[in-house]
Amino acid sequence: MSTGNNSSDGLGSHDKEKGLANGNTEVHAIEDAPDQVIAKRFGVFGPLLSKLFQSGVEARGVERVPENQRETKNSWNNLLMWWSVNMVLTTIPVGVLAQYAFTLTLPHAVATIFCFAALGSVATAFIAILGPQTGLRTMIISRYSSGYLGGTFFSVLNIITQLGFATTAVILGGQTLASTNANTLPLVGGIIIIGVCSLIPCFIGYNIIHVYERYAWMATLFIMCCLYGLGSKAGYDVNAQKASEDTGRALSADILSFGAIVFGSVAGWAPVAADYNVRLPVDTNPWRVFVLTFCGLFLPIVFTVTLGATLMTIGDPVYADALGSDGNTGALVAQVLSLWGGGGKFLLVLLALSVVSNNIPNTYSAALSIQALGRPFAMVPRFLWVLLVFVAYTVAGVAGREHFSAILSNFLSILSYWTAFFIVIVAEEHFLFRQKEGRLGGYNLADWDNPSKLPIGIAGLLACCFGIVGAVVGMSQVWYTGPIGKMAGAAHGADLGFELAAGFAAVTFPPLRWMEIRLTGR
């Protein structure tokens, strides 16, 4: 998994000469000292920004992290960060959908969770290894396969993705907080509290995010274990859905459609996976990064999503009433914890606040993706985009607070479509063209913001178009079912969107990219 043409500091001497010859003076300056460059840009506001950066607010945005500034040595942060991000209240509703939307029995739900979570974890863990190797954020890495224009296209999709994740997070966290104080705290107030708590670490930046995520999982793991135990006390009925579960092709369709949601909930982190280890040394073992990231995703996802599916087997109708027709998972969890009275309410508050761990990467990486749209956006300091992202998803959460279940099921399914072809394109570029012995001999890292040195992007964009076609013909949503999706399922079809999106892109990208390199040399 080599980055190819690199010396000990990650750039070959030829790359350095090219960067200097091309006059990339400001690029190198902002890589080495982003705080000074940004402060100079803003004239009279410069001293204020300097003080802000000196107080600990991260100045670096999408700029590459040079090897001599890789101060992070502990790759175990990969495991602990993703563990905290996924072992949260937000992940429980994914499991609830197994019975709520697809009437799967618990055994079928658990088998689906294991298989599709593993697939999504492998994909995301691969993207994570590129962070230390390049020192670049994920959306910038995509420029090396799809050019400046293709990278912008992926950035737009990722902004929508992270805002969608954040919206579902603040709604669920707000619902749960409101459940603890039904007569005093309105849902809107709960949403705002979760949003503000997510904003603070993201405003400060990379280091404080890792500090927070390193420990946040501990309390949540304890609460999840309590939920398993209290649910058992309430009475699990493993056969609760057996009478209503589909059979034959309809059952296969339900499994594939639920699997797409599980895959989307894990692979949805792939477009941000490299953002959180760019400060690891360039010689960090890629297999170590891969394994730690995989475990940090797969284990908590399986544990927590299975919890959601298990809670749905409680036979007492009181719990079904708590869930309601709108799929209020926060109220369901509150009902389970109510067996402990005041202690249960305290745990419920902590569980509601666990959503912050999940929402931090949404907020932080959405801001980075806005910067990755192009140089004019990158000129604006990262923390200002964080503020804009916070306002956007908080307003969206307040507006969509009564439709959480519909937002979640539709959003996560559609999310899996584009992340599937994104992962395939980046992976094929890396393994087929960017290996040391490959056609391009590695990544010319000095050119990360130089459109004339990056690929034109025609191959990447055309592969995206083929991926979209695959998604359209294979998808199965309430509002549309593609022809292959209809053939694969019964009455409502089967969601094969992400599989076909990945397949179409995987088949078309290599020949298109080979032709692009042959004609342009880049």
Side-chain angles (χ1 to χ4, degrees):
M1 296 178 180
S2 167
T3 53
N5 230 358
N6 300 335
S7 64
S8 60
D9 68 350
L11 286 172
S13 58
H14 180 56
D15 294 329
K16 291 179 181 176
E17 290 169 5
K18 283 197 301 179
L20 294 173
N22 289 329
N24 291 335
T25 306
E26 185 175 359
V27 171
H28 289 292
I30 198 165
E31 285 180 4
D32 293 330
D35 53 339
Q36 297 174 24
V37 174
I38 292 172
K40 286 179 182 178
R41 282 178 185 163
F42 287 86
V44 293
F45 296 103
L48 176 62
L49 291 175
S50 294
K51 288 182 180 179
L52 201 60
F53 298 144
Q54 290 169 8
S55 69
V57 173
E58 181 186 16
R60 190 180 305 278
V62 292
E63 300 81 20
R64 182 175 180 269
V65 183
E67 284 72 9
N68 60 4
Q69 295 187 29
R70 309 277 186 91
E71 72 276 14
T72 303
K73 304 295 182 185
N74 187 5
S75 56
W76 281 93
N77 283 341
N78 272 57
L79 173 68
L80 297 177
M81 168 162 175
W82 293 114
W83 197 291
S84 290
V85 166
N86 290 291
M87 185 160 283
V88 293
L89 176 64
T90 322
T91 317
I92 297 176
V94 178
V96 168
L97 290 173
Q99 283 91 357
Y100 183 80
F102 302 105
T103 65
L104 294 177
T105 58
L106 184 61
H108 285 145
V110 172
T112 305
I113 291 165
F114 265 82
C115 294
F116 285 87
L119 186 60
S121 298
V122 167
T124 305
F126 158 70
I127 299 293
I129 69 172
L130 301 179
Q133 291 185 20
T134 64
L136 295 170
R137 312 289 189 165
T138 315
M139 288 296 101
I140 302 300
I141 294 171
S142 71
R143 292 177 179 176
Y144 285 87
S145 59
S146 305
Y148 214 87
L149 185 59
T152 301
F153 173 67
F154 283 133
S155 296
V156 171
L157 293 176
N158 197 39
I159 292 165
I160 296 170
T161 296
Q162 301 312 317
L163 287 176
F165 265 135
T167 301
T168 60
V170 295
I171 291 175
L172 183 58
Q175 283 179 343
T176 310
L177 280 178
S179 297
T180 64
N181 296 282
N183 299 319
T184 56
L185 181 65
L187 177 54
V188 172
I191 290 172
I192 293 173
I193 289 172
I194 297 297
V196 171
C197 290
S198 305
L199 167 67
I200 295 170
C202 296
F203 185 90
I204 299 172
Y206 186 97
N207 288 333
I208 194 65
I209 287 173
H210 276 289
V211 170
Y212 182 86
E213 302 285 16
R214 194 179 304 150
Y215 304 106
W217 62 272
M218 296 178 180
T220 315
L221 175 60
F222 171 76
I223 298 170
M224 297 288 183
C225 291
C226 292
L227 283 169
Y228 269 108
L230 290 172
S232 177
K233 188 176 179 181
Y236 293 136
D237 180 6
V238 177
N239 296 314
Q241 296 289 335
K242 195 146 192 174
S244 57
E245 186 179 53
D246 290 324
T247 58
R249 291 178 62 204
L251 175 59
S252 299
D254 290 339
I255 289 173
L256 288 168
S257 298
F258 176 59
I261 293 175
V262 175
F263 175 83
S265 68
V266 188
W269 297 120
V272 308
D275 295 355
Y276 301 95
N277 54 24
V278 292
R279 297 190 182 183
L280 286 173
V282 69
D283 58 355
T284 303
N285 188 326
W287 283 109
R288 181 180 177 86
V289 174
F290 180 90
V291 171
L292 291 176
T293 304
F294 177 88
C295 292
L297 291 160
F298 178 74
L299 296 177
I301 283 283
V302 168
F303 185 81
T304 311
V305 176
T306 299
L307 172 61
T310 305
L311 292 180
M312 288 294 289
T313 68
I314 297 175
D316 190 335
V318 172
Y319 293 83
D321 292 341
L323 185 68
S325 59
D326 59 344
N328 190 335
T329 306
L332 173 63
V333 172
Q335 180 61 40
V336 175
L337 289 173
S338 67
L339 296 174
W340 275 357
K345 281 197 171 186
F346 174 71
L347 293 181
L348 188 62
V349 171
L350 293 180
L351 192 58
L353 294 176
S354 74
V355 169
V356 172
S357 296
N358 184 268
N359 204 30
I360 284 173
N362 300 328
T363 308
Y364 182 78
S365 290
L368 293 175
S369 294
I370 295 175
Q371 286 194 316
L373 291 174
R375 289 176 182 171
F377 296 90
M379 298 279 284
V380 179
R382 176 200 59 81
F383 65 85
L384 291 179
W385 290 125
V386 167
L387 289 172
L388 178 64
V389 169
F390 156 73
V391 172
Y393 67 65
T394 302
V395 171
V398 170
R401 62 190 182 277
E402 303 299 337
H403 307 286
F404 172 77
S405 182
I407 292 173
L408 181 69
S409 59
N410 289 310
F411 171 71
L412 287 181
S413 295
I414 296 170
L415 163 63
S416 67
Y417 304 155
W418 88 266
T419 54
F421 63 72
F422 164 80
I423 293 162
V424 164
I425 289 171
V426 173
E428 290 186 333
E429 176 74 20
H430 180 78
F431 289 111
L432 298 180
F433 304 108
R434 296 286 177 177
Q435 293 298 293
K436 204 169 193 177
E437 65 282 0
R439 183 96 182 182
L440 296 172
Y443 295 84
N444 298 320
L445 298 176
D447 297 332
W448 65 269
D449 196 37
N450 190 341
S452 65
K453 299 294 182 181
L454 292 167
I456 293 177
I458 294 174
L461 286 171
L462 285 176
C464 289
C465 292
F466 281 107
I468 293 169
V469 171
V472 170
V473 299
M475 70 191 299
S476 176
Q477 299 293 327
V478 174
W479 39 272
Y480 175 76
T481 301
I484 297 179
K486 286 180 181 177
M487 292 168 58
H492 303 292
D495 194 349
L496 294 171
F498 89 83
E499 293 94 337
L500 292 181
F504 280 34
V507 169
T508 55
F509 180 71
L512 289 169
R513 185 75 175 106
W514 180 86
M515 187 179 300
E516 183 178 61
I517 294 171
R518 184 175 177 83
L519 293 175
T520 66
R522 53 190 170 103

